[in-house]
Amino acid sequence: MLRVFAVLSATALVLLVGGALAGVYMIWRLSNDLPDYDHLARYEPPVMTRVHAGDGGLIAEYARERRLYVPIEAIPPHVINAFLAAEDKNFYQHDGIDAQGVMRAVLTNIGNIINDRRLQGASTITQQVAKNFLLSSDVTVERKLKEALLALRIEEAFSKQQILELYLNEIYLGLGSYGVAAAALNYFGKSLDQLTVAEAAYLAALPKAPNNYHPFRQRERAIARRNWVIGRMEENGFVTSFEASEARGEDLVVTPRPFGAQLVDANFFVEEVRRELYDRYGEERLYEGGLSVRTTLDPELQAAARKALREGLVAYDRRHGWRGPVGKLEPGENWHKALSEIELAGDIAPWTLAAVVGLNEKSVKIGLRPEKLISGSFSEDVVTGTIPLSEMKWAREYKSENALGPEVGKPADVLSVGDIVFVEPLDGEEGKYVLRQVPKVNGAVVALDPHTGRILAMEGGFSFELSEFNRAVQAKRQPGSSFKPFVYAAALDSGFTPSSLILDAPFVMDQGPGLALWKPENYGNRFYGPSTLRLGIEKSRNVMTVRLAQNIGMDKVVDYAERFGVTDNMPPVLSMALGAGETTLLDMTTAYAMLVNGGKQIEPTLVDRIQDRWGRTIYRHEKKVCEKCDAQEWKGQEPPELPDLREQVISPQTAYQVVSMLEGVVQRGTGRTVASVGVPLAGKTGTTNDERDAWFVGFSPNLAVGVFVGFDEPKPMGKGETGGGVAAPIFRDFMQAAIGDEPGVPFRIPSGVNLVRVNAKTGQIAQPGDDNVILEAFRDGTEPSQPEAAPYSAIGGEGVYTEGQPDVSLGAGTGGLY
C-alpha cells in the first residue's frame, strides 16, 4: 500500500513539475513571440476629418472610423467612472490582471456552463487595450495568455492615465463611433462635458456588444443595461443614491447625427471641398488624418442661394406645364405602404410624396408618405390632406417648351385617383398642400467675395441627392452676352469711351468657300443705327459688339478673356465676342469680381485654412505677410500696412467704367428686374441661341454673384426664356436676402475718373432741356468738351442720329447669340 502511494505521489510530482516546466516554457515562448507594444507610445489612430463653415459651425465629416481623439484630461470624471464601473472597477488597484475578477468569473462561469449560458470574461481595461491594439479577437487559450502577458508589460511601460486614454479613444461604441468623444456626438449631439450621468452610463454599457443594446431596436435591453451601469456607479461610490435615482428616471433620448455632410443646404459646396482635400492630401489622409478644415462658406448666404435657385427653377418649370404624376398605384394597393417603400431624396424637403385618394370639383384629397423615424422605420400614423384647385391651376398639360394644353378648370383635368405626386405644405394653411413637380431644367448659383476670392455660397443644382453633378464648376456652357463686358473692357483700353458711337446696322461676313454668310442679329431682329458703347451693353446689342470686336481685333479680345480667366484657347473668331465659347459659372463670376474690385486678379477658394491633428496649420489661402504686425507694444508708430499681392489685370479706371456701364444694365437695360432690390447693383444678362442657356452675373461693391440656368443636355428652354427673365430673378431674390436690408453702398470710383453729364442717347455733353441725362465715367483727358455737330462719327460707317427714328430693322435673319 505504501509502495502504491509512493508511486502515485512520485507520478503526481513528476506531472506537476512537468506541467510547471511546460507552463514556464509556454510562457517563455509566448513572451518571445509577443507583438511590439512600444508603438502604443506613438499611437496615431485614424481620426475623422472635420469641415467647418466660415463661422466655425460643423458642416461635414469624413472618416472610415468616426473617431475624435481627446486627451484623458478632457474627459470628465463621471464619463471615466461610468466605464470603470462597467468594465474594470479595480483598474487603479491591479497590475494589468484582476485576480479577484478572474476568480469571480470562474465561479460565475461554472453556473453558466451548467445553465448553458454564454461564458463571462474577466478582461481588465489593460487587457482590452492589449487585445484591441495588438492581438486578434480569436477565442483561444494562447491569445488569452498573450493578452495577460502584454497587459503586465503595458502596465510597467505606461501610466494608468495613458492606458485609460488609449482605451477610451479606441473602443467601438456603435453607430460608427470609435471612442467616447465621437459617441457622445453621434448618439446625443453633445460634447463629453455636456453628457449627463445617464448618458455616460449608456455609452459605458456599449463596449461589449453595441448591437445588443441598440437604442431603437433593443430599447428595453438598452435601458436595463444603462441602469445596471448606474447601479454599479452607485455601489462604487461614483454617484450618490439621489444622483443614481435621478439618472435611472431619465429617458433614453438618442438622436443620431448623419454621416458626411451635416448641412443639407451645402451638399454641393462640401463635395467640392472633399474633392480638393482628396487631390491635395490623398485618400488616407482625408479619411484618417484628423484634418480640421475651415472653409469660406457663409451658411446664411448658402441657404439664400439654395432657396433662390430652387424657387427660380420651379417658377420656370411651372410656366411650361404639367408633365404628369411620378407614379401610379396598382388597383387596390395600400397607398400608405406603397409610399413608404419609395425612396425620397431628403434634400428636397419640405416636399414629400402623396397619393391621390379622392377628388371633387374644388380639391384633391391626398394621403401623404409616412414620416421616416430616426430608427429607420416609418410612422404608422396615416396623414391626409387636400390640394385646392387654386394650387394646381398652373398644371396645364406640357406639350413643348413653347406650347401648353388648355387651362385647368377642375382637378380631374390634372389628376386622377391613384396618382403619386410631389406636394409641399401650403404656408399658413393647415392640411393644405401645393402640387409640385421636380424641374427638368437645372442651374447653379455662386457667390464670392470679390476682394479675396472666398466662395461664400455655391449651389450646383436643384437637388444633390438627385444629381451630384455640380453645374457651378463642372458644366461648361456658352455665356452668351454675359461675355460682352470683357469685349468692352478691351475696347476702352483701345481708346474708346463709354460715349463712343458704334453703328448698329446689318453686318455680313463671308465665312469662306462652301459656308453660308454669317449675319449676326440683335434680339428681336431690329437695328438701331449709331449707338453709344453704354447703350450697346445696356441693351445687349449683338451687331455693335461684333463691329467693336472687329475694330479692336479678336486677338485683343482673346487676350482679355485669358487675363480674366474666362476661358483658355479661345479661337480668334468674331462669334466668340458674343459668348460662343464655353466656360463655367465659377470662372465667369470670378472674372466679374475682378471688374468690381478695381481690376485685381483673385483666385477663387473654398478653403481658408487647414490644420493637422495636432492643430498645426498646414495650408492657408491668405498669402499676405505682415512684417510689422508682431510689435510688442504701441509707441505711437503708424499702423502696419498689409501688402497687396494681387496682380493688376486691367487699370482701376477701365474696371470702373465697365462697372458703371453694367450698373446701367440694371437701371435701364436688360437687367431691370434686379433694380427692385433697392441698393446699387450691376450685372449683365446672357442668353444663347434658341434660349439654350440663361445667365445673369453681377455684383454689389462687396459681393459677386453668378446665376446659370439650362437643361443638362442643352436644348431650347422656350421663346422668351432669356437671362433677364430666367436667371436675373434668381440673382434678384438672392441679393434681396443677402444685402437687401442693408444701407446701399455706392461703387468705388478710383482717381483718374471724371463723371460728366451727357445725353444718354448721343453720348454728347448734356444741353439745357435734355430729358435723358446721365453721369458718364471718363478717364482723365477723354471726356468730351462740347457737343459735336451732327452727323456724328460712328465706328462702322458715318451715321446720322435722328431723334425718334432709331430703327433700321431689316426683318428676320439667321439668329445669333444675345
Side-chain angles (χ1 to χ4, degrees), residues 734-814:
F734 173 78
M735 281 298 198
Q736 184 65 58
I739 61 173
D741 295 331
E742 299 176 5
V745 177
F747 290 102
R748 302 167 182 86
I749 304 175
S751 59
V753 171
N754 293 321
L755 298 180
V756 179
R757 287 167 50 87
V758 300
N759 183 298
K761 290 185 178 180
T762 66
Q764 299 300 302
I765 292 288
Q767 297 298 298
D770 284 352
D771 59 358
N772 193 7
V773 176
I774 62 171
L775 284 174
E776 189 57 270
F778 293 93
R779 299 180 71 151
D780 282 345
T782 66
E783 58 268 26
S785 57
Q786 58 184 0
E788 182 179 341
Y792 311 130
S793 175
I795 297 298
E798 293 295 316
V800 178
Y801 177 83
T802 305
E803 184 74 26
Q805 297 181 355
D807 184 14
V808 289
S809 173
L810 297 183
T814 58

Side-chain angles (χ1 to χ4, degrees), residues 182-237:
L185 284 172
N186 294 336
Y187 279 95
F188 302 112
K190 296 180 177 181
S191 59
L192 287 171
D193 61 337
Q194 295 174 318
L195 291 179
T196 65
V197 169
E199 290 165 343
Y202 175 68
L203 296 184
L206 297 172
K208 287 288 192 292
N211 285 333
N212 290 346
Y213 308 108
H214 193 279
F216 305 117
R217 294 192 293 268
Q218 304 288 348
R219 182 172 176 78
E220 291 184 6
R221 291 180 66 182
I223 293 175
R225 178 70 176 177
R226 178 202 70 177
N227 291 345
W228 175 84
V229 175
I230 293 170
R232 295 293 297 271
M233 294 178 73
E234 182 181 3
E235 288 176 21
N236 295 324

Side-chain angles (χ1 to χ4, degrees), residues 219-404:
R219 182 172 176 78
E220 291 184 6
R221 291 180 66 182
I223 293 175
R225 178 70 176 177
R226 178 202 70 177
N227 291 345
W228 175 84
V229 175
I230 293 170
R232 295 293 297 271
M233 294 178 73
E234 182 181 3
E235 288 176 21
N236 295 324
F238 295 145
V239 293
T240 65
S241 296
F242 175 77
E243 290 171 330
S245 176
E246 194 175 53
R248 289 191 194 96
E250 187 176 313
D251 191 17
L252 178 60
V253 180
V254 172
T255 53
R257 288 193 315 142
F259 196 25
Q262 306 293 313
L263 189 65
V264 172
D265 289 342
N267 274 319
F268 286 101
F269 183 97
V270 165
E271 175 58 15
E272 284 307 305
V273 172
R274 188 197 67 81
R275 293 183 187 196
E276 181 175 328
L277 295 175
Y278 183 92
D279 292 341
R280 187 184 294 272
Y281 299 112
E283 183 176 357
E284 182 174 343
R285 201 165 183 195
L286 167 62
Y287 292 103
E288 300 180 0
L291 302 175
S292 177
V293 183
R294 179 63 66 95
T295 71
T296 59
L297 183 77
D298 183 318
E300 291 186 3
L301 292 184
Q302 180 64 36
R306 183 168 185 260
K307 183 175 185 291
L309 179 63
R310 286 190 58 173
E311 290 180 353
L313 296 178
V314 167
Y316 165 86
D317 193 65
R318 286 167 65 107
R319 290 197 295 271
H320 293 273
W322 174 247
R323 297 185 300 276
V326 297
K328 188 84 173 176
L329 295 174
E330 296 294 330
E333 187 176 10
N334 182 299
W335 63 263
H336 189 269
K337 181 175 183 296
L339 292 177
S340 68
E341 293 174 350
I342 299 175
E343 287 295 324
L344 182 64
D347 64 351
I348 67 171
W351 291 19
T352 188
L353 286 171
V356 176
V357 296
L359 46 81
N360 55 39
E361 291 297 310
K362 295 184 177 180
S363 66
V364 172
K365 184 177 181 181
I366 54 173
L368 278 85
R369 182 177 186 262
E371 182 181 353
K372 194 169 186 178
L373 304 176
I374 292 175
S375 62
S377 61
F378 285 88
S379 168
E380 297 296 325
D381 295 337
V382 174
V383 179
T384 61
T386 60
I387 306 174
L389 176 61
S390 60
E391 298 303 329
M392 47 198 308
K393 284 279 192 179
W394 65 269
R396 298 167 63 184
E397 181 187 0
Y398 166 84
K399 292 184 177 296
S400 73
E401 264 62 47
N402 293 309
L404 296 174

Side-chain angles (χ1 to χ4, degrees), residues 488-496 556 560 563 649-651 654 657 779:
Y488 282 70
L492 291 169
D493 280 344
S494 300
F496 288 81
K556 188 154 192 173
Y560 273 61
R563 282 196 206 184
V649 178
I650 57 173
S651 71
T654 299
Q657 286 180 301
R779 299 180 71 151

